[in-house]
Amino acid sequence: MRFILDRNTWQEIFGSISKNKVRTVITVIGVLWGIFIYIALSGAAKGMDNGFESMFEQIAKNSLFVWAQNTSMPYEGYKTGRPMQLKLEDATMIENRIPEVEYIAPRNVRGFFGSTPPSIGRGNKMGSYPLFGDFPAFTKIAPKKIYDGGRFINDEDIAQARKVAVIGERTQKELFDKGENPIGGFIKIDDVYFQVVGVHKFDQSGGFGGDGDIFIPFTTFRRLYNTGENVGWFSIAAYDDADVVQVEENIIDLLKNIHQVHPDDERAFGSFNLGEQFNKIVGFANGITFLSLVVGIATILAGVIGIGNILLISVKERTKELGVRRALGATPAEVRNQIILESVFLTVVAGVMGIILGAMTLAGINNLTQDIDFPYTNPTVPIPYVLGALVIMVVLGTLIGLIPAQRAVSIKPIDALREE
Amino acid sequence: MIEIKELHKSYKMGANSLHVLKGLNFSIKEGELVAIMGSSGSGKSTLLNILGMLDEADSGEYTLDGVPIKNLNETKAAKYRNKFLGFVFQSFNLINYKSALENVALPLYYQKVPRKQREEKALKYLEQVGLKEWAEHLPNELSGGQKQRVAIARAMAAEPKVLLADEPTGALDSKTSYEVMDLIQKINDQGNTILVVTHEEDIAHMCKRIVHLKDGVIVEDKKVEQVRASQYV
Ligand SMILES: Nc1ncnc2c1ncn2[C@@H]1O[C@H](COP(=O)(O)OP(=O)(O)O)[C@@H](O)[C@H]1O
Ligand SMILES: [Mg+2]
């Protein structure tokens, strides 16, 4: 230990390394490249991971959507091509029959999916915004951040079919004056006055929902547009430990049963399983991380083996020098430690340079992707990974240094010094 | 300072064995300047390597400064070499990527002398061999004679009890050889014990005593009138 901390040791090692520049540079490049690949790849994978994470932050990861389409098979006297319609009672059935469902939110919309947008305005200011009829449960599936002082639709709103609305940031900007408090203010939706009870925050990084969306109670929506028991689609969240693919299947089967659809009809109900997509993406990101780990480690290993090789050659070249050192009083341990330390030092220097270079590359990529719509955030390699890589390099450097070091001490000084 | 008794050494080569040293006896006192003479292959280097603890005798006794040298492991031998002995080789054996100063300072590094003192001391010895101005030069920027003087400075820097020189002038022309011998004589004048292996008569006569080896035995061991090298320089 004293040997490692001794300044003289390092002067000697630094001397030997800096005086053999070509060898040092070649050696360093191998390991540098390895650690660079490792850092750059795993950082990029992490960045993508983070990107997807923040995209999915606004919606339950185990969520799925179900909507109605037309049948594609005749069944029980019904002809093919019969239009399907989801009903409010379907939600109750699903909740009662499928225990894996944690939340179910029936939803309706105007001004989205091709339907005519409602006319929305305030005084002489007008705008076009999608209008959703929602239950409070919707925020359990796709959490909405509401600005201070406001709230989302609650059970009272539903029960009394209150004329209240939660508006988006853009809606606020376009319909209200600067500095004006929108809460308590009134907007006109298709000639009916609604009181604003909340403004929801729009998250730039996410891909769900817009900054102009207006939410009103489901029951109010029903009264306004005479939709009766009809539901546009269901947003559903399954429990975290549920198998979302299975839940999706169960729900569709149940709906087919209720609506008398052929069990094999694939078209009657449409669904989109976010949970499944999410799992695929997570799997993809994990795969990339794992791949970068394997590639990185393999490259580092190759680099370190390269160091070992070059040190081995250099030990042969330096046979005479090592003999002279022994004649001048270097003990075998001192010779061995010097070679090992040279190996470790080269490895670590190369590693640190690779880490710095990799980090710079990651920062560069981060800057480039800042403005474009690509799920890529904060591509950092976790510190433990970096430290782990350094530890691995020290260990590998030592192990690989042992071979040339052993070679160096196995040469007797008298043989090293023999005059030809 | 040095005492050997019935020193034997043979080299095994397959089934054969070559008996190189066949029972050598002598003793060298402090301050002596001894030439080991003999033709090529007579065992001079073998003897010097044993005295230098780079090799071990098969049998016999070797005492250095009162310490019996026997059954040394490599570590112990390294420590003794560092403490007791200075080496000068025919081919100089300077480390080519180190400056003259760093070369001279190297044995002090293995003595764990701090760097500042190491450099001061190394510079002092470079000055003694007249190469202070060349301290920062690499060996390949020096002439043969200069290299050997750096090597001698390096051997002396550790302040050894005995200086062992194996054909120190073997790679030099006669003028440079005399310069090196002049230096060796001056170091001896300061009271240092020196052994010089040579096969050249004139070099041997610049020492104070000649031990003549032939076929592995000492055929002659005589004191001589020292020829001063300075008169030829
Ligand atoms: N390591 C060795 N293995 C076998 N034979 C050796 C070895 N070293 C020296 N010899 C032989 O021993 C003899 C003496 O060698 P050496 O001591 O180098 O002689 P000198 O230095 O007087 O020329 C020579 O015949 C040489 O070939
Ligand atoms: Mg010889």
Side-chain angles (χ1 to χ4, degrees):
Chain A
M1 203 57 206
R2 222 210 65 175
F3 176 78
I4 293 176
L5 297 176
D6 191 352
R7 231 173 107 215
N8 291 339
T9 311
W10 288 102
Q11 275 152 5
E12 200 54 39
I13 283 168
F14 194 67
S16 136
I17 285 172
S18 65
K19 297 284 167 54
N20 298 286
K21 285 202 184 65
V22 178
R23 157 169 85 88
T24 305
V25 168
I26 293 173
T27 322
V28 160
I29 285 174
V31 170
L32 192 152
W33 182 238
I35 190 82
F36 172 77
I37 298 250
Y38 168 70
I39 294 288
L41 271 183
S42 61
K46 184 73 192 160
M48 261 164 69
D49 211 19
N50 288 346
F52 287 125
E53 276 287 346
S54 75
M55 194 168 131
F56 280 90
E57 221 158 55
Q58 302 161 67
I59 194 134
K61 280 164 193 148
N62 256 359
S63 58
L64 52 109
F65 313 102
V66 181
W67 61 92
Q69 303 176 153
N70 296 339
T71 58
S72 62
M73 289 168 122
Y75 189 60
E76 306 225 318
Y78 290 105
K79 285 201 181 126
T80 181
R82 176 167 56 109
M84 294 281 100
Q85 175 63 56
L86 294 176
K87 297 283 179 185
L88 260 183
E89 66 211 38
D90 295 345
T92 324
M93 288 287 265
I94 290 172
E95 255 193 320
N96 290 344
R97 293 280 192 82
I98 300 168
E100 290 91 349
V101 169
E102 188 175 15
Y103 300 109
I104 177 160
R107 306 191 69 196
N108 271 322
V109 73
R110 283 290 145 107
F112 207 65
F113 298 137
S115 63
T116 14
S119 120
I120 293 171
R122 182 164 182 263
N124 47 12
K125 292 174 176 161
M126 295 292 289
S128 174
Y129 313 101
L131 179 72
F132 295 87
D134 268 307
F135 283 96
F138 174 60
T139 54
K140 304 283 191 195
I141 299 158
K144 291 266 171 270
K145 286 198 188 94
I146 306 286
Y147 278 105
D148 286 351
R151 60 170 178 85
F152 197 72
I153 290 155
N154 61 26
D155 292 333
E156 293 279 280
D157 298 335
I158 297 288
Q160 300 173 25
R162 281 178 180 157
K163 295 182 192 116
V164 292
V166 176
I167 64 174
E169 279 172 57
R170 182 163 64 87
T171 323
Q172 178 194 354
K173 220 186 279 158
E174 289 171 3
L175 296 186
F176 288 83
D177 293 329
K178 223 180 181 157
E180 193 182 355
N181 185 8
I183 309 295
F186 285 91
I187 59 171
K188 221 158 126 188
I189 301 174
D190 281 336
D191 289 330
V192 177
Y193 283 100
F194 279 76
Q195 189 171 32
V196 174
V197 293
V199 178
H200 65 85
K201 201 171 186 165
F202 178 63
D203 195 339
Q204 193 81 40
S205 64
F208 301 97
D211 55 356
D213 294 351
I214 297 179
F215 304 96
I216 61 173
F218 190 91
T219 45
T220 321
F221 189 101
R222 169 163 73 180
R223 211 170 272 179
L224 190 59
Y225 295 108
N226 254 323
T227 48
E229 292 292 297
N230 290 355
V231 172
W233 75 97
F234 293 125
S235 277
I236 298 164
Y239 283 100
D240 281 345
D241 53 358
D243 173 0
V244 273
V245 179
Q246 189 57 49
V247 173
E248 180 185 14
E249 232 169 76
N250 294 348
I251 290 171
I252 300 283
D253 287 347
L254 178 61
L255 286 173
K256 283 179 190 166
N257 193 337
I258 298 169
H259 292 267
Q260 290 158 20
V261 174
H262 193 287
D264 296 332
D265 195 332
E266 297 291 330
R267 288 290 202 58
F269 296 98
S271 61
F272 179 76
N273 194 330
L274 205 63
E276 195 187 351
Q277 304 306 319
F278 181 78
N279 287 344
K280 275 185 194 158
I281 289 167
V282 168
F284 175 68
N286 283 347
I288 297 255
T289 308
F290 181 72
L291 189 75
S292 64
L293 202 73
V294 170
V295 170
I297 300 248
T299 324
I300 292 173
L301 203 67
V304 173
I305 289 174
I307 287 194
N309 253 323
I310 292 182
L311 279 179
L312 204 57
I313 295 170
S314 105
V315 160
K316 275 186 201 158
E317 275 171 3
R318 288 161 69 195
T319 299
K320 194 114 193 186
E321 174 200 328
L322 296 172
V324 173
R325 285 175 182 273
R326 297 279 288 277
L328 295 180
T331 62
E334 280 168 327
V335 170
R336 184 190 300 119
N337 291 350
Q338 179 178 341
I339 307 261
I340 292 174
L341 271 191
E342 277 182 29
S343 167
V344 171
F345 182 74
L346 285 175
T347 318
V348 169
V349 164
V352 168
M353 278 164 62
I355 288 171
I356 291 171
L357 228 70
M360 274 162 46
T361 307
L362 289 178
I365 296 175
N366 198 26
N367 279 342
L368 289 177
T369 55
Q370 202 69 269
D371 302 324
I372 64 168
D373 194 17
F374 183 72
Y376 191 83
T377 323
N378 202 15
T380 47
V381 181
I383 298 289
Y385 278 44
V386 175
L387 292 182
L390 273 176
V391 168
I392 288 175
M393 283 188 299
V394 171
V395 170
L396 285 180
T398 309
L399 289 179
I400 214 77
L402 275 174
I403 301 168
Q406 202 46 47
R407 166 70 60 89
V409 295
S410 71
I411 303 169
K412 287 179 148 190
I414 182 168
D415 296 323
L417 288 170
R418 178 167 294 124
E419 317 265 351
E420 297 312 324
Chain B
M1 180 62 64
I2 287 180
E3 181 136 18
I4 56 172
K5 279 190 191 141
E6 281 303 310
L7 215 58
H8 283 266
K9 176 77 184 175
S10 38
Y11 290 112
K12 299 217 165 32
M13 297 196 299
N16 302 351
S17 115
L18 182 67
H19 204 172
V20 180
L21 300 181
K22 302 167 180 165
L24 304 189
N25 296 284
F26 64 62
S27 104
I28 295 169
K29 284 196 249 333
E30 194 169 352
E32 277 200 276
L33 174 53
V34 182
I36 315 252
M37 267 283 281
S39 54
S40 182
S42 55
K44 307 183 294 293
S45 296
T46 304
L47 172 60
L48 205 73
N49 287 337
I50 291 170
L51 296 181
M53 293 174 234
L54 294 170
D55 205 352
E56 230 178 329
D58 299 334
S59 64
E61 282 170 32
Y62 169 26
T63 320
L64 175 63
D65 197 26
V67 180
I69 305 301
K70 223 176 165 186
N71 297 331
L72 295 181
N73 63 27
E74 277 294 335
T75 304
K76 198 111 199 205
K79 296 238 162 85
Y80 278 8
R81 281 198 289 271
N82 191 244
K83 212 161 108 189
F84 290 132
L85 303 168
F87 289 91
V88 176
F89 306 94
Q90 179 175 349
S91 53
F92 325 126
N93 281 341
L94 298 178
I95 291 174
N96 57 17
Y97 62 83
K98 284 182 179 285
S99 69
L101 187 76
E102 288 167 337
N103 265 288
V104 176
L106 194 57
L108 299 171
Y109 164 68
Y110 290 115
Q111 283 182 354
K112 315 254 186 304
V113 177
R115 188 164 83 129
K116 257 224 128 62
Q117 281 167 256
R118 228 154 64 205
E119 282 180 357
E120 276 167 20
K121 215 165 175 185
L123 203 61
K124 188 181 104 187
Y125 279 93
L126 268 184
E127 192 174 12
Q128 274 193 20
V129 300
L131 290 173
K132 194 182 177 187
E133 277 68 45
W134 296 82
E136 298 309 323
H137 287 254
L138 291 175
N140 61 14
E141 295 164 342
L142 305 175
S143 72
Q146 286 174 322
K147 281 185 206 170
Q148 197 57 299
R149 273 147 65 194
V150 172
I152 290 170
R154 179 175 67 183
M156 294 310 296
E159 291 169 356
K161 298 213 181 295
V162 179
L163 184 65
L164 301 172
D166 194 349
E167 313 250 15
T169 62
L172 304 174
D173 61 43
S174 49
K175 186 177 175 294
T176 332
S177 296
Y178 296 145
E179 284 170 13
V180 166
M181 282 314 291
D182 182 38
L183 183 59
I184 287 177
Q185 287 177 339
K186 280 179 181 147
I187 291 168
N188 174 244
D189 291 344
Q190 293 165 7
N192 294 295
T193 316
I194 305 176
L195 261 79
V196 178
V197 161
T198 183
H199 61 270
E200 294 166 278
E201 280 291 339
D202 53 342
I203 299 297
H205 279 90
M206 290 175 174
C207 300
K208 293 174 176 168
R209 173 178 163 192
I210 298 177
V211 174
H212 208 127
L213 267 185
K214 196 178 176 187
D215 297 330
V217 290
I218 296 175
V219 289
E220 192 181 24
D221 185 347
K222 62 176 183 192
K223 291 235 155 64
V224 291
E225 191 60 39
Q226 187 181 39
V227 179
R228 293 303 292 197
S230 54
Q231 57 188 302
Y232 299 108
V233 178

